[in-house]
Coordinates of all heavy atoms in Angstrom, one line a residue:
A137 N 52.9 -5.9 219.1 CA 52.9 -4.5 219.4 C 54.2 -4.0 219.8 O 54.9 -4.7 220.7 CB 51.8 -4.3 220.5
D138 N 54.7 -2.9 219.3 CA 55.9 -2.3 219.7 C 55.8 -1.6 221.1 O 56.8 -1.5 221.8 CB 56.4 -1.3 218.7 CG 56.8 -2.0 217.4 OD1 57.1 -3.2 217.4 OD2 56.8 -1.3 216.3
T139 N 54.6 -1.1 221.3 CA 54.4 -0.4 222.6 C 53.4 -1.2 223.5 O 52.3 -1.4 223.1 CB 53.8 1.0 222.3 OG1 54.6 1.7 221.4 CG2 53.6 1.8 223.6
R140 N 53.9 -1.6 224.6 CA 53.2 -2.5 225.5 C 53.3 -2.0 226.9 O 54.4 -1.5 227.3 CB 53.6 -3.9 225.4 CG 53.7 -4.5 224.0 CD 54.5 -5.7 223.9 NE 55.9 -5.5 224.5 CZ 56.9 -5.0 223.8 NH1 56.7 -4.6 222.5 NH2 58.0 -4.8 224.3
R141 N 52.3 -2.3 227.7 CA 52.4 -2.2 229.2 C 51.9 -3.5 229.7 O 50.7 -3.8 229.7 CB 51.7 -1.0 229.7 CG 51.9 -0.9 231.2 CD 51.2 0.4 231.8 NE 51.5 0.5 233.2 CZ 52.6 1.1 233.7 NH1 53.5 1.6 232.9 NH2 52.8 1.2 235.0
E142 N 52.9 -4.3 230.2 CA 52.5 -5.7 230.7 C 52.2 -5.5 232.2 O 53.2 -5.3 233.0 CB 53.6 -6.7 230.4 CG 53.7 -6.9 228.9 CD 55.1 -7.3 228.4 OE1 56.1 -7.2 229.2 OE2 55.2 -7.6 227.2
V143 N 51.0 -5.6 232.6 CA 50.6 -5.2 233.9 C 50.8 -6.4 234.9 O 51.2 -6.2 236.1 CB 49.1 -4.8 233.9 CG1 48.6 -4.5 235.3 CG2 48.9 -3.7 233.0
S144 N 50.5 -7.6 234.5 CA 50.6 -8.7 235.4 C 50.8 -10.0 234.5 O 51.0 -9.9 233.3 CB 49.3 -8.9 236.2 OG 48.2 -9.2 235.4
I145 N 50.8 -11.1 235.2 CA 51.0 -12.4 234.5 C 49.9 -12.6 233.4 O 50.2 -13.3 232.4 CB 51.1 -13.6 235.4 CG1 51.6 -14.8 234.7 CG2 49.8 -13.8 236.1 CD1 51.8 -16.0 235.6
D146 N 48.8 -12.0 233.6 CA 47.7 -12.4 232.6 C 47.0 -11.1 232.0 O 45.9 -11.2 231.6 CB 46.6 -13.2 233.4 CG 45.8 -12.4 234.4 OD1 46.3 -11.4 234.8 OD2 44.7 -12.9 234.7
E147 N 47.7 -10.0 232.0 CA 47.1 -8.8 231.6 C 48.1 -7.8 230.9 O 49.2 -7.6 231.5 CB 46.4 -8.1 232.8 CG 45.7 -6.8 232.5 CD 45.1 -6.2 233.8 OE1 45.3 -6.7 234.9 OE2 44.5 -5.1 233.6
A148 N 47.7 -7.2 229.8 CA 48.6 -6.3 229.2 C 47.8 -5.3 228.3 O 46.8 -5.6 227.8 CB 49.6 -7.0 228.3
Y149 N 48.4 -4.1 228.2 CA 47.9 -3.1 227.3 C 48.8 -3.0 226.0 O 50.0 -3.1 226.2 CB 47.8 -1.7 227.9 CG 46.9 -1.5 229.0 CD1 47.2 -1.7 230.3 CD2 45.6 -1.1 228.7 CE1 46.3 -1.5 231.4 CE2 44.6 -0.9 229.8 CZ 45.0 -1.1 231.1 OH 44.1 -0.9 232.1
L150 N 48.2 -2.9 224.9 CA 49.0 -2.8 223.6 C 48.5 -1.5 222.9 O 47.3 -1.3 222.7 CB 48.8 -4.0 222.7 CG 48.8 -5.4 223.3 CD1 48.5 -6.4 222.2 CD2 50.2 -5.7 223.9
D151 N 49.5 -0.7 222.5 CA 49.1 0.4 221.6 C 49.5 0.0 220.2 O 50.7 -0.2 219.9 CB 49.9 1.7 222.0 CG 49.5 2.9 221.2 OD1 49.0 2.7 220.0 OD2 49.6 4.0 221.7
V152 N 48.5 -0.3 219.4 CA 48.8 -0.8 218.1 C 48.4 0.2 217.0 O 48.1 -0.2 215.8 CB 48.0 -2.2 217.9 CG1 48.5 -3.2 218.8 CG2 46.5 -1.9 218.1
T153 N 48.5 1.5 217.3 CA 48.2 2.5 216.4 C 49.0 2.4 215.1 O 48.6 2.8 214.1 CB 48.3 3.9 217.1 OG1 47.6 3.9 218.3 CG2 47.8 5.0 216.2
D154 N 50.3 2.0 215.3 CA 51.2 1.9 214.2 C 51.0 0.7 213.3 O 51.6 0.5 212.3 CB 52.6 2.0 214.6 CG 53.0 0.9 215.5 OD1 52.1 0.3 216.1 OD2 54.2 0.7 215.7
R155 N 50.1 -0.2 213.8 CA 49.9 -1.5 213.1 C 48.5 -1.5 212.4 O 48.3 -2.4 211.5 CB 49.9 -2.7 214.1 CG 51.2 -2.8 214.9 CD 52.4 -3.3 214.1 NE 53.5 -3.5 214.9 CZ 54.0 -4.7 215.3 NH1 53.3 -5.8 215.0 NH2 55.0 -4.8 216.1
T156 N 47.6 -0.7 212.8 CA 46.2 -0.7 212.3 C 45.6 0.6 212.5 O 46.2 1.6 212.7 CB 45.4 -1.8 213.1 OG1 44.1 -2.0 212.5 CG2 45.2 -1.5 214.5
S157 N 44.3 0.7 212.3 CA 43.6 2.0 212.4 C 42.1 1.7 212.6 O 41.6 0.6 212.6 CB 43.8 2.8 211.1 OG 43.0 2.3 210.0
W158 N 41.3 2.8 212.8 CA 39.9 2.7 212.9 C 39.1 2.8 211.6 O 37.9 2.8 211.6 CB 39.4 3.9 213.8 CG 39.8 3.7 215.3 CD1 40.7 4.4 216.0 CD2 39.3 2.7 216.2 NE1 40.8 3.9 217.3 CE2 39.9 2.9 217.4 CE3 38.3 1.7 216.1 CZ2 39.7 2.1 218.5 CZ3 38.0 0.9 217.2 CH2 38.7 1.1 218.4
A159 N 39.9 2.7 210.5 CA 39.2 2.7 209.2 C 38.3 1.5 209.0 O 38.6 0.4 209.5 CB 40.3 2.7 208.1
V160 N 37.2 1.6 208.3 CA 36.3 0.5 208.0 C 37.0 -0.5 207.2 O 37.7 -0.2 206.2 CB 35.0 1.0 207.4 CG1 34.2 -0.2 207.0 CG2 34.3 1.9 208.3
A161 N 36.9 -1.8 207.5 CA 37.5 -2.8 206.7 C 37.0 -2.8 205.3 O 35.9 -2.5 205.0 CB 37.2 -4.2 207.4
G162 N 37.9 -3.1 204.4 CA 37.5 -3.1 203.0 C 38.1 -2.0 202.2 O 37.9 -1.9 201.0
G163 N 38.7 -1.0 203.0 CA 39.3 0.1 202.3 C 38.4 1.1 201.7 O 38.6 1.5 200.5
V164 N 37.4 1.5 202.4 CA 36.5 2.5 201.9 C 37.2 3.8 201.4 O 38.0 4.4 202.1 CB 35.4 2.9 202.9 CG1 34.6 4.1 202.4 CG2 34.6 1.8 203.3
G165 N 37.0 4.1 200.1 CA 37.7 5.2 199.5 C 39.0 5.0 199.0 O 39.6 5.8 198.3
G166 N 39.6 3.7 199.1 CA 40.9 3.4 198.6 C 40.8 3.0 197.2 O 39.8 2.9 196.6
A167 N 42.0 2.9 196.6 CA 42.1 2.5 195.2 C 41.5 1.2 194.9 O 40.9 1.0 193.8 CB 43.6 2.5 194.7
N168 N 41.6 0.3 195.8 CA 41.0 -1.1 195.6 C 39.7 -1.3 196.4 O 39.3 -2.4 196.7 CB 42.0 -2.1 196.0 CG 43.3 -2.1 195.3 OD1 43.3 -1.9 194.0 ND2 44.4 -2.2 195.9
D169 N 39.0 -0.2 196.6 CA 37.8 -0.2 197.3 C 36.7 -1.0 196.6 O 36.3 -0.6 195.5 CB 37.3 1.2 197.6 CG 36.1 1.3 198.4 OD1 35.7 0.2 199.0 OD2 35.5 2.4 198.5
N170 N 36.2 -2.0 197.3 CA 35.1 -2.8 196.7 C 34.0 -2.8 197.8 O 33.1 -3.7 197.8 CB 35.5 -4.2 196.3 CG 36.1 -5.0 197.5 OD1 36.2 -4.5 198.6 ND2 36.5 -6.2 197.2
T171 N 34.0 -1.9 198.7 CA 33.1 -1.8 199.8 C 32.1 -0.7 199.5 O 32.4 0.4 199.2 CB 33.8 -1.6 201.1 OG1 34.7 -2.6 201.4 CG2 32.8 -1.5 202.3
D172 N 30.8 -1.0 199.7 CA 29.8 0.0 199.5 C 29.8 0.9 200.7 O 29.5 0.4 201.8 CB 28.4 -0.7 199.3 CG 27.3 0.3 199.2 OD1 27.5 1.5 199.2 OD2 26.1 -0.2 199.0
P173 N 30.1 2.2 200.6 CA 30.1 3.0 201.8 C 28.8 3.2 202.5 O 28.7 3.6 203.6 CB 30.6 4.4 201.2 CG 30.3 4.3 199.7 CD 30.4 2.9 199.4
E174 N 27.7 2.9 201.7 CA 26.4 2.9 202.4 C 26.1 1.7 203.2 O 25.3 1.7 204.1 CB 25.4 3.0 201.3 CG 25.5 4.3 200.4 CD 25.3 5.5 201.2 OE1 24.5 5.5 202.1 OE2 26.0 6.5 200.9
S175 N 26.9 0.6 203.0 CA 26.6 -0.6 203.8 C 28.0 -1.3 204.0 O 28.3 -2.3 203.4 CB 25.7 -1.5 203.1 OG 26.1 -1.9 201.8
P176 N 28.8 -0.7 204.9 CA 30.1 -1.4 205.2 C 29.9 -2.7 205.9 O 28.8 -3.0 206.4 CB 30.8 -0.3 206.2 CG 29.6 0.4 206.8 CD 28.6 0.5 205.7
P177 N 30.9 -3.6 205.9 CA 30.8 -4.9 206.5 C 30.5 -4.7 208.0 O 31.1 -3.9 208.7 CB 32.1 -5.5 206.3 CG 33.1 -4.4 206.0 CD 32.3 -3.4 205.3
P178 N 29.5 -5.5 208.5 CA 29.1 -5.3 209.9 C 30.2 -5.9 210.9 O 31.0 -6.8 210.5 CB 27.8 -6.2 210.0 CG 28.0 -7.2 208.9 CD 28.7 -6.5 207.8
S179 N 30.2 -5.3 212.0 CA 31.2 -5.8 213.0 C 30.8 -7.1 213.5 O 29.7 -7.5 213.7 CB 31.2 -4.8 214.2 OG 32.0 -5.3 215.3
G180 N 31.9 -8.0 213.7 CA 31.6 -9.3 214.3 C 31.9 -9.3 215.8 O 31.9 -10.4 216.4
A181 N 32.2 -8.2 216.4 CA 32.6 -8.1 217.8 C 31.4 -7.6 218.6 O 30.4 -7.0 218.1 CB 33.8 -7.2 218.0
A182 N 31.5 -7.9 219.9 CA 30.5 -7.3 220.8 C 30.8 -5.8 221.0 O 31.9 -5.3 220.6 CB 30.5 -8.0 222.1
G183 N 29.9 -5.1 221.6 CA 30.1 -3.7 221.8 C 29.3 -2.8 220.9 O 28.6 -3.3 220.0
P184 N 29.6 -1.5 220.9 CA 28.8 -0.5 220.1 C 29.2 -0.4 218.6 O 28.6 0.2 217.9 CB 29.1 0.8 220.8 CG 30.4 0.6 221.4 CD 30.5 -0.8 221.8
A185 N 30.3 -1.1 218.3 CA 30.8 -1.0 216.9 C 29.7 -1.6 215.9 O 29.3 -2.7 216.1 CB 32.1 -1.7 216.7
E186 N 29.4 -0.8 214.9 CA 28.4 -1.3 213.9 C 29.2 -1.8 212.7 O 28.8 -2.9 212.1 CB 27.5 -0.2 213.5 CG 26.6 0.3 214.7 CD 25.6 1.4 214.2 OE1 25.7 1.8 213.1 OE2 24.8 1.8 215.1
A187 N 30.2 -1.1 212.2 CA 31.0 -1.5 211.1 C 32.2 -2.2 211.5 O 32.8 -1.9 212.5 CB 31.3 -0.3 210.2
R188 N 32.7 -3.2 210.7 CA 33.9 -3.9 211.0 C 35.1 -3.0 210.6 O 35.2 -2.5 209.5 CB 34.0 -5.2 210.3 CG 35.2 -6.0 210.7 CD 35.1 -7.5 210.2 NE 35.2 -7.6 208.7 CZ 34.3 -7.9 207.9 NH1 33.1 -8.2 208.4 NH2 34.5 -8.0 206.6
T189 N 36.0 -2.7 211.6 CA 37.2 -1.9 211.3 C 38.4 -2.7 211.2 O 38.5 -3.9 211.6 CB 37.3 -0.9 212.5 OG1 37.5 -1.6 213.7 CG2 36.1 0.0 212.6
L190 N 39.5 -2.1 210.7 CA 40.8 -2.7 210.7 C 41.2 -3.0 212.1 O 41.9 -4.0 212.3 CB 41.8 -1.8 210.0 CG 41.5 -1.5 208.5 CD1 42.5 -0.6 207.9 CD2 41.3 -2.8 207.7
A191 N 40.9 -2.1 213.0 CA 41.3 -2.4 214.4 C 40.7 -3.7 215.0 O 41.3 -4.4 215.7 CB 40.9 -1.2 215.3
E192 N 39.4 -3.9 214.6 CA 38.8 -5.1 215.1 C 39.5 -6.4 214.5 O 39.8 -7.3 215.2 CB 37.3 -5.1 214.6 CG 36.6 -6.4 214.9 CD 35.2 -6.5 214.4 OE1 34.6 -5.4 214.3 OE2 34.7 -7.6 214.1
G193 N 39.9 -6.3 213.2 CA 40.5 -7.4 212.6 C 41.9 -7.7 213.2 O 42.3 -8.8 213.4
Y194 N 42.6 -6.6 213.6 CA 43.9 -6.8 214.2 C 43.8 -7.4 215.6 O 44.6 -8.3 216.0 CB 44.7 -5.5 214.2 CG 46.2 -5.7 214.5 CD1 47.0 -6.1 213.5 CD2 46.7 -5.5 215.8 CE1 48.4 -6.4 213.8 CE2 48.0 -5.8 216.1 CZ 48.9 -6.2 215.1 OH 50.2 -6.4 215.4
A195 N 42.8 -6.9 216.3 CA 42.6 -7.4 217.7 C 42.2 -8.9 217.6 O 42.7 -9.7 218.5 CB 41.5 -6.6 218.4
R196 N 41.4 -9.3 216.7 CA 41.1 -10.7 216.5 C 42.3 -11.5 216.2 O 42.4 -12.7 216.6 CB 40.0 -10.9 215.5 CG 39.3 -12.2 215.5 CD 38.2 -12.3 214.5 NE 37.1 -11.4 214.8 CZ 36.2 -11.6 215.7 NH1 36.2 -12.7 216.4 NH2 35.2 -10.7 215.9
H197 N 43.2 -10.9 215.4 CA 44.4 -11.6 215.0 C 45.2 -11.9 216.3 O 45.8 -13.0 216.5 CB 45.2 -10.8 214.0 CG 46.7 -11.1 213.9 ND1 47.1 -12.2 213.3 CD2 47.8 -10.5 214.4 CE1 48.4 -12.3 213.3 NE2 48.8 -11.2 214.0
V198 N 45.4 -10.9 217.1 CA 46.1 -11.1 218.4 C 45.5 -12.2 219.2 O 46.1 -13.1 219.8 CB 46.2 -9.8 219.2 CG1 46.8 -10.0 220.5 CG2 46.9 -8.7 218.4
K199 N 44.2 -12.1 219.4 CA 43.4 -13.0 220.2 C 43.5 -14.5 219.7 O 43.8 -15.4 220.4 CB 41.9 -12.6 220.2 CG 41.0 -13.4 221.1 CD 39.6 -12.8 221.0 CE 38.6 -13.5 221.9 NZ 38.5 -15.0 221.6
D200 N 43.4 -14.6 218.4 CA 43.5 -15.9 217.8 C 44.9 -16.5 217.9 O 45.1 -17.7 218.1 CB 43.1 -15.9 216.3 CG 41.6 -15.7 216.1 OD1 40.9 -15.8 217.1 OD2 41.2 -15.3 215.0
R201 N 45.9 -15.7 217.8 CA 47.3 -16.1 217.9 C 47.6 -16.7 219.3 O 48.2 -17.7 219.5 CB 48.3 -15.0 217.6 CG 48.6 -14.9 216.1 CD 49.9 -14.0 216.0 NE 51.1 -14.7 216.5 CZ 52.3 -14.2 216.5 NH1 52.5 -13.0 216.0 NH2 53.3 -14.8 217.0
I202 N 47.0 -16.0 220.3 CA 47.2 -16.4 221.7 C 46.6 -17.8 221.9 O 47.3 -18.7 222.4 CB 46.6 -15.4 222.7 CG1 47.4 -14.1 222.7 CG2 46.6 -16.0 224.1 CD1 46.7 -13.0 223.4
E203 N 45.4 -18.0 221.4 CA 44.8 -19.3 221.6 C 45.5 -20.4 220.7 O 45.6 -21.5 221.2 CB 43.3 -19.2 221.3 CG 42.6 -20.5 221.5 CD 41.1 -20.3 221.7 OE1 40.6 -19.2 221.5 OE2 40.4 -21.2 222.2
R204 N 45.9 -20.0 219.5 CA 46.4 -21.0 218.6 C 47.9 -21.4 219.1 O 48.2 -22.6 219.1 CB 46.5 -20.5 217.2 CG 47.0 -21.5 216.2 CD 47.0 -20.9 214.8 NE 47.8 -19.7 214.6 CZ 47.4 -18.5 214.5 NH1 46.1 -18.2 214.5 NH2 48.2 -17.5 214.3
E205 N 48.7 -20.4 219.5 CA 50.1 -20.7 219.8 C 50.4 -21.0 221.2 O 51.2 -21.8 221.5 CB 50.9 -19.5 219.3 CG 50.8 -19.3 217.8 CD 51.6 -18.1 217.3 OE1 52.7 -17.8 218.0 OE2 51.3 -17.5 216.3
A206 N 49.7 -20.3 222.1 CA 49.9 -20.6 223.6 C 48.8 -21.6 224.1 O 49.1 -22.1 225.2 CB 49.8 -19.3 224.3
G207 N 47.7 -21.7 223.5 CA 46.7 -22.7 223.9 C 45.8 -22.3 224.9 O 45.1 -23.1 225.5
V208 N 45.7 -21.0 225.3 CA 44.8 -20.5 226.3 C 44.0 -19.3 225.8 O 44.4 -18.6 224.9 CB 45.6 -20.0 227.6 CG1 46.2 -21.2 228.3 CG2 46.7 -19.1 227.2
P209 N 42.7 -19.2 226.3 CA 41.8 -18.2 225.8 C 42.1 -16.8 226.4 O 42.6 -16.7 227.5 CB 40.5 -18.7 226.2 CG 40.7 -19.5 227.4 CD 42.1 -20.1 227.2
A210 N 41.8 -15.8 225.6 CA 41.9 -14.4 226.1 C 40.7 -13.6 225.7 O 40.1 -13.9 224.7 CB 43.2 -13.7 225.6
S211 N 40.4 -12.6 226.5 CA 39.4 -11.6 226.1 C 40.1 -10.3 225.8 O 41.1 -10.0 226.5 CB 38.4 -11.4 227.2 OG 37.5 -12.5 227.4
V212 N 39.7 -9.7 224.7 CA 40.4 -8.4 224.3 C 39.3 -7.3 224.1 O 38.3 -7.5 223.5 CB 41.0 -8.7 222.9 CG1 41.7 -7.4 222.4 CG2 42.1 -9.8 223.0
G213 N 39.7 -6.2 224.7 CA 38.9 -4.9 224.5 C 39.7 -4.0 223.6 O 40.9 -3.8 223.8
V214 N 39.0 -3.3 222.7 CA 39.7 -2.3 221.8 C 38.9 -1.0 221.9 O 37.7 -1.0 221.8 CB 39.6 -2.8 220.3 CG1 40.6 -2.0 219.5 CG2 40.0 -4.3 220.2
A215 N 39.7 0.1 222.1 CA 39.1 1.4 222.3 C 40.2 2.4 222.0 O 41.4 2.1 221.9 CB 38.6 1.5 223.8
P216 N 39.8 3.7 222.0 CA 40.8 4.8 221.8 C 41.6 5.1 223.0 O 42.5 5.9 222.9 CB 39.9 6.0 221.4 CG 38.5 5.4 221.2 CD 38.4 4.2 222.0
N217 N 41.3 4.6 224.2 CA 42.1 4.9 225.4 C 42.2 3.7 226.3 O 41.5 2.7 226.1 CB 41.6 6.1 226.1 CG 40.2 5.9 226.6 OD1 39.9 5.0 227.4 ND2 39.3 6.8 226.2
M218 N 43.1 3.7 227.3 CA 43.4 2.6 228.1 C 42.2 2.2 229.0 O 41.9 1.0 229.1 CB 44.6 2.9 229.0 CG 45.9 3.0 228.2 SD 47.3 3.5 229.3 CE 47.4 2.1 230.4
S219 N 41.6 3.2 229.7 CA 40.5 2.8 230.6 C 39.3 2.2 229.9 O 38.7 1.2 230.4 CB 40.1 4.0 231.4 OG 39.7 5.1 230.6
A220 N 39.0 2.7 228.7 CA 37.8 2.1 228.0 C 38.2 0.7 227.5 O 37.3 -0.2 227.5 CB 37.4 3.0 226.8
A221 N 39.4 0.5 227.0 CA 39.8 -0.8 226.6 C 39.8 -1.8 227.7 O 39.4 -3.0 227.5 CB 41.2 -0.7 226.0
K222 N 40.2 -1.4 228.9 CA 40.1 -2.2 230.1 C 38.7 -2.7 230.4 O 38.4 -3.8 230.6 CB 40.7 -1.5 231.3 CG 40.4 -2.1 232.6 CD 41.2 -3.4 232.9 CE 41.0 -3.8 234.3 NZ 41.7 -5.1 234.6
V223 N 37.8 -1.7 230.4 CA 36.4 -2.0 230.6 C 35.8 -2.9 229.5 O 35.1 -3.9 229.8 CB 35.5 -0.7 230.7 CG1 34.0 -1.1 230.8 CG2 36.0 0.1 231.9
A224 N 36.2 -2.7 228.3 CA 35.7 -3.5 227.2 C 36.2 -4.9 227.3 O 35.4 -5.9 226.9 CB 36.2 -2.9 225.8
S225 N 37.4 -5.2 227.7 CA 37.9 -6.6 227.8 C 37.1 -7.4 228.8 O 37.0 -8.6 228.8 CB 39.4 -6.6 228.1 OG 39.6 -6.2 229.5
D226 N 36.5 -6.7 229.8 CA 35.7 -7.4 230.9 C 34.2 -7.5 230.5 O 33.5 -8.2 231.2 CB 35.8 -6.6 232.2 CG 37.1 -6.7 232.9 OD1 37.8 -7.7 232.7 OD2 37.4 -5.8 233.7
A227 N 33.8 -6.9 229.4 CA 32.4 -6.8 229.1 C 31.8 -8.0 228.4 O 30.6 -8.2 228.4 CB 32.2 -5.6 228.2
D228 N 32.6 -8.9 227.9 CA 32.0 -10.1 227.2 C 32.8 -11.3 227.5 O 33.1 -12.1 226.6 CB 32.0 -9.8 225.7 CG 31.1 -10.9 225.0 OD1 30.1 -11.3 225.6 OD2 31.4 -11.2 223.8
K229 N 33.3 -11.5 228.7 CA 34.0 -12.7 229.1 C 33.1 -13.9 229.3 O 32.0 -13.8 229.6 CB 34.7 -12.4 230.5 CG 36.0 -11.6 230.3 CD 36.7 -11.5 231.7 CE 38.1 -11.0 231.5 NZ 39.0 -11.9 230.9
P230 N 33.7 -15.1 229.0 CA 35.1 -15.4 228.6 C 35.2 -15.4 227.1 O 34.2 -15.4 226.4 CB 35.3 -16.8 229.2 CG 34.0 -17.4 229.1 CD 33.0 -16.4 229.4
D231 N 36.4 -15.4 226.6 CA 36.7 -15.5 225.2 C 36.1 -14.4 224.4 O 35.6 -14.7 223.3 CB 36.3 -16.9 224.7 CG 37.0 -17.3 223.4 OD1 38.1 -16.8 223.1 OD2 36.4 -18.2 222.7
G232 N 36.0 -13.2 224.9 CA 35.3 -12.2 224.2 C 36.2 -11.2 223.4 O 37.4 -11.1 223.6
L233 N 35.5 -10.5 222.5 CA 36.2 -9.4 221.8 C 35.1 -8.3 221.7 O 34.1 -8.4 221.1 CB 36.6 -9.8 220.4 CG 37.1 -8.7 219.4 CD1 38.4 -8.1 220.0 CD2 37.4 -9.3 218.0
V234 N 35.5 -7.2 222.3 CA 34.6 -6.0 222.4 C 35.3 -4.8 221.8 O 36.4 -4.5 222.2 CB 34.1 -5.7 223.8 CG1 33.3 -4.4 223.9 CG2 33.4 -6.9 224.4
V235 N 34.7 -4.2 220.8 CA 35.3 -3.0 220.1 C 34.5 -1.8 220.4 O 33.2 -1.8 220.2 CB 35.3 -3.3 218.6 CG1 35.9 -2.1 217.9 CG2 36.2 -4.5 218.3
V236 N 35.1 -0.7 220.9 CA 34.5 0.6 221.2 C 35.2 1.6 220.4 O 36.2 2.2 220.7 CB 34.6 0.9 222.7 CG1 33.8 2.2 223.0 CG2 34.1 -0.3 223.6

Side-chain angles (χ1 to χ4, degrees):
D138 293 338
T139 305
R140 307 164 304 277
R141 183 173 184 85
E142 292 151 352
V143 179
S144 67
I145 190 175
D146 71 339
E147 179 184 4
Y149 292 93
L150 314 178
D151 187 331
V152 294
T153 308
D154 60 342
R155 306 287 185 101
T156 185
S157 75
W158 289 108
V160 172
V164 174
N168 298 317
D169 180 16
N170 57 4
T171 302
D172 180 359
E174 299 298 325
S175 56
S179 171
E186 296 181 357
R188 187 166 70 247
T189 61
L190 298 179
E192 176 183 330
Y194 193 79
R196 193 177 297 280
H197 163 72
V198 174
K199 184 178 182 303
D200 289 347
R201 274 196 65 182
I202 292 171
E203 184 157 12
R204 182 176 66 251
E205 297 178 29
V208 287
S211 291
V212 179
V214 192
N217 62 57
M218 290 177 65
S219 57
K222 165 73 172 175
V223 174
S225 70
D226 285 335
D228 192 34
K229 280 184 167 288
D231 198 25
L233 174 61
V234 176
V235 178
V236 185

